[in-house]
Amino acid sequence: MPMRLGSKYLITITLIVTIITVIFVMTLTVNVGLGQSYVIPFKTIKTKSALIEYYSSSATGHPTLVIHVYMDGQPIEVTVSLFAFTLRHIYAVSYYKGLGTVSINLDNPLVVKIASDWYGSYSDAVWPSLIAFITYVNGSSEVYTKVITIPYPPSYLALSKPLTIVVNTNITRNDLMTPKPINSIKDPFMVKPQVISGGGGSPPPPEGFTYIGNCNSNGVVENNPPGPGAWILADCIEYEGPWPQFFIGWSENVLTKSGISGISFTVNGYVESGSGPYGALNRTAYYIPTGTWGPSYLELVGPLFEFSNNMNIELWNGYNSITIEPDTSLTPGTANGALVGSTILYQVNGPGFAYAYFDSYIAFVSFYYDTGNYIFWANGTYMLGFGSNTMPSGDTNTLYLMPGVDMGNGPITSMFANINYFGYEPSIYDGYEVVGTSGTPLCQNEPSINLGPEGVSLTLSSLITTYNPNPVGIAFAVGAFALSLLPDPWGIVASLAMTFAGLFVPQPVTASTYYTQTQVMIGASNTQLGINQLYLTFIGTNGAQNNGNNYYWPMGIILNYSSPYMGRITCNT
């Protein structure tokens, strides 16, 4: 017998359903009015600096950026200096003020043009970032600045589709710039920042780089002059050149005494969706009344752009491996290159490096903010994008690594020379002493290697596992100290030359950013006895985790014959 409900129960249920429906409709209406779509963002990015949410609607019908800023749970009055960039230029979009909330229309013709350039080249596979300097002045004695990058889908801006980007951030004591800046990475150099000059006589290009030009293009700034609290892009110099991702170096005696027939490595892997390169700014303050400088600190800034899908990593032009072979018939200190089947072959006579690199556009930037008593500087390196060899226009699935050999006059040699000159210390981790077919570990927790009469082989993934560089995922940080290769003959300060070229750093919600199956093989000349004697040293690079601590990632391998690389066992992990 079916159960029957009394009329009072039906009335109660109907009333409940009606109330729930009204609440849902009210919630939907309110959130659509706020530029949200069904309360749920279609994408969320969480960085060290901010929570960024993306909604596929807006109150205006056009793309909008809304920035909420708090300190100790309270809204504060801030100035936002907004910048955008293409592969060739950085533009000052405009300057904005607000109490707790700053709303910015992104249908600005300049922003639309920039977004259209990105969309025309890479569709939505690459999300470039807007760069926001958020400044809070507490009275006249304390200045706080936070730099946030805000990736955006270029199609929405280029085609003026409804979009609301909501940024939530908190200003903390870590963002205080006076009297003592505090950031996650302490810069050991106490030097005066200077404006770099790209006009007139351009500086000589660094080894392996081509000078592109002055990338400072302020365009038409809506709110001009910017007024108090505004950061100004003082200068911008752009180069195209190699961003090394992995290298193998060898000493003279390795080729002549170690009994090796050759060195080879394959390239295979991918960058995970949601990853992107980070730049760095070296922040410091100049106190005008006393003419004194404060300490300088490095700060990671990014992602400068991010990939919306996984990007395969392949060697250029369909090749599979890079091989180095000794050839004493060559003039000492020289190399010959050849393409043999699927292999890029370098025959060498003398010590050197073989490396794989991304063809990249690197900008050296100088921002400043003048308060009258203080001049705050933020000098650093931004990666504006990849060159056409690494990321051809229209190719939205693959990044191509280029091959290179350095016989003492290339970017890797220059990098090490400047590291020593500036006193910067990468992570050095001695792996094994190899004699014959056996290997003796030199430090603890060595990566696994394969030994036999044919030689030695290992994978980069085993190095990454050993280093365990980042608890939130493996950070593709191999370029972190690559731009230390830049010399300083024309007045670029040491701290600027030492800032990072860019990092692929995972978001906290990302399991892993860089996967690789790159295989390294060192062949023995005598396949019966193995290698005579060989020392393997792993060279790492450091950066900052999301919690502010340091991590290390192996960037390369140094092969020595008579002793470890530093002449003593070094286990800097």
Side-chain angles (χ1 to χ4, degrees):
M1 179 178 180
M3 182 177 66
R4 296 181 181 274
L5 296 177
S7 59
K8 64 177 182 180
Y9 294 105
L10 291 173
I11 292 173
T12 301
I13 293 173
T14 302
L15 181 60
I16 292 173
V17 171
T18 302
I19 292 173
I20 293 173
T21 302
V22 170
I23 291 174
F24 174 76
V25 172
M26 290 177 62
T27 303
L28 175 60
T29 302
V30 168
N31 283 284
V32 167
L34 292 174
Q36 300 178 0
S37 177
Y38 297 97
V39 196
I40 301 175
F42 70 84
K43 182 180 178 66
T44 298
I45 297 175
K46 185 177 181 181
T47 70
K48 180 182 176 182
S49 301
L51 175 66
I52 309 173
E53 297 175 318
Y54 300 80
Y55 301 89
S56 56
S57 62
S58 72
T60 64
H62 301 286
T64 303
L65 171 63
V66 180
I67 302 176
H68 301 299
V69 188
Y70 304 92
M71 187 174 191
D72 298 326
Q74 300 298 317
I76 54 176
E77 185 170 354
V78 296
T79 297
V80 176
S81 309
L82 191 66
F83 300 88
F85 64 89
T86 65
L87 294 179
R88 294 292 187 275
H89 300 98
I90 299 178
Y91 297 84
V93 175
S94 195
Y95 299 88
Y96 310 87
K97 288 184 178 293
L99 176 59
T101 298
V102 176
S103 296
I104 301 170
N105 292 326
L106 295 179
D107 55 358
N108 178 315
L110 174 62
V111 176
V112 171
K113 175 62 169 62
I114 292 170
S116 299
D117 289 346
W118 285 99
Y119 182 60
S121 296
Y122 307 115
S123 186
D124 275 337
V126 175
W127 283 29
S129 289
L130 300 168
I131 303 170
F133 282 70
I134 301 174
T135 302
Y136 166 59
V137 181
N138 183 8
S140 60
S141 60
E142 292 184 336
V143 175
Y144 299 80
T145 293
K146 175 166 282 188
V147 184
I148 297 176
T149 58
I150 307 163
Y152 62 89
S155 67
Y156 281 75
L157 276 61
L159 305 177
S160 192
K161 297 192 293 186
L163 172 72
T164 299
I165 305 174
V166 179
V167 178
N168 290 281
T169 188
N170 291 293
I171 299 291
T172 71
R173 297 294 296 182
N174 287 342
D175 302 309
L176 178 64
M177 296 200 68
T178 55
K180 181 179 179 180
I182 302 172
N183 274 292
S184 58
I185 311 175
K186 185 175 181 181
D187 180 4
F189 308 108
M190 299 297 183
V191 293
K192 297 180 180 180
Q194 302 171 6
V195 177
I196 52 182
S197 176
S202 62
E207 191 69 50
F209 281 71
T210 301
Y211 175 68
I212 299 298
N214 184 354
C215 47
N216 186 351
S217 296
N218 281 321
V220 179
V221 179
E222 291 181 353
N223 305 330
N224 193 26
W231 283 82
I232 309 297
L233 177 60
D235 216 336
C236 182
I237 294 179
E238 184 175 19
Y239 295 92
E240 181 180 9
W243 176 21
Q245 302 303 298
F246 177 70
F247 67 81
I248 295 180
W250 58 90
S251 68
E252 177 75 39
N253 288 335
V254 165
L255 299 180
T256 59
K257 297 181 179 180
S258 286
I260 68 170
S261 60
I263 306 165
S264 179
F265 62 94
T266 61
V267 176
N268 186 21
Y270 69 91
V271 175
E272 190 177 78
S273 171
S275 301
Y278 276 55
L281 289 176
N282 175 19
R283 306 202 314 187
T284 191
Y286 176 69
Y287 189 47
I288 297 174
T290 61
T292 57
W293 293 88
S296 56
Y297 290 80
L298 291 179
E299 174 187 21
L300 291 177
V301 177
L304 296 172
F305 56 85
E306 73 167 42
F307 301 108
S308 62
N309 51 261
N310 291 347
M311 298 292 292
N312 297 320
I313 295 179
E314 298 179 5
L315 200 55
W316 165 77
N317 208 27
Y319 291 94
N320 294 329
S321 63
I322 299 174
T323 296
I324 305 95
E325 294 180 351
D327 186 347
T328 56
S329 68
L330 297 175
T331 302
T334 64
N336 280 339
L339 304 176
V340 182
S342 61
T343 298
I344 300 169
L345 173 65
Y346 292 108
Q347 295 172 311
V348 302
N349 185 11
F353 302 90
Y355 59 98
Y357 67 91
F358 286 139
D359 178 23
S360 305
Y361 292 105
I362 305 296
F364 292 84
V365 297
S366 291
F367 295 91
Y368 76 93
Y369 164 41
D370 189 347
T371 70
N373 285 327
Y374 283 94
I375 299 177
F376 300 109
W377 286 95
N379 292 334
T381 54
Y382 280 179
M383 181 177 173
L384 301 186
F386 293 117
S388 58
N389 289 323
T390 286
M391 193 174 184
S393 179
D395 190 336
T396 58
N397 297 300
T398 305
L399 299 176
Y400 296 96
L401 281 167
M402 306 297 294
V405 65
D406 177 349
M407 298 299 292
N409 58 353
I412 309 299
T413 297
S414 183
M415 178 184 71
F416 275 97
N418 281 281
I419 284 174
N420 293 332
Y421 176 77
F422 291 126
Y424 184 76
E425 295 183 1
S427 172
I428 298 174
Y429 191 94
D430 286 317
Y432 287 88
E433 177 187 9
V434 177
V435 177
T437 60
S438 64
T440 302
L442 301 179
C443 297
Q444 296 180 349
N445 302 320
E446 297 291 359
S448 61
I449 63 174
N450 300 312
L451 286 165
E454 294 83 10
V456 182
S457 66
L458 67 149
T459 62
L460 289 193
S461 59
S462 68
L463 298 184
I464 295 171
T465 302
T466 297
Y467 273 67
N468 190 23
N470 194 330
V472 300
I474 298 169
F476 185 27
V478 291
F481 69 92
L483 258 287
S484 62
L485 58 89
L486 292 170
D488 192 21
W490 58 86
I492 296 181
V493 296
S495 59
L496 175 58
M498 286 303 301
T499 50
F500 300 154
L503 307 173
F504 285 109
V505 177
Q507 308 299 344
V509 296
T510 303
S512 183
T513 294
Y514 179 59
Y515 296 87
T516 180
Q517 296 80 44
T518 296
Q519 183 86 9
V520 178
M521 293 149 283
I522 305 167
S525 299
N526 189 327
T527 57
Q528 302 298 317
L529 300 177
I531 292 173
N532 297 338
Q533 180 172 300
L534 189 67
Y535 288 88
L536 280 72
T537 298
F538 309 126
I539 306 294
T541 178
N542 72 343
Q545 293 175 184
N546 289 296
N547 62 8
N549 296 325
N550 280 0
Y551 60 76
Y552 291 92
W553 199 95
M555 180 184 175
I557 299 174
I558 297 289
L559 306 179
N560 236 29
Y561 169 71
S562 58
S563 67
Y565 170 62
M566 297 295 291
R568 63 186 187 279
I569 296 176
T570 304
C571 301
N572 180 14
T573 61

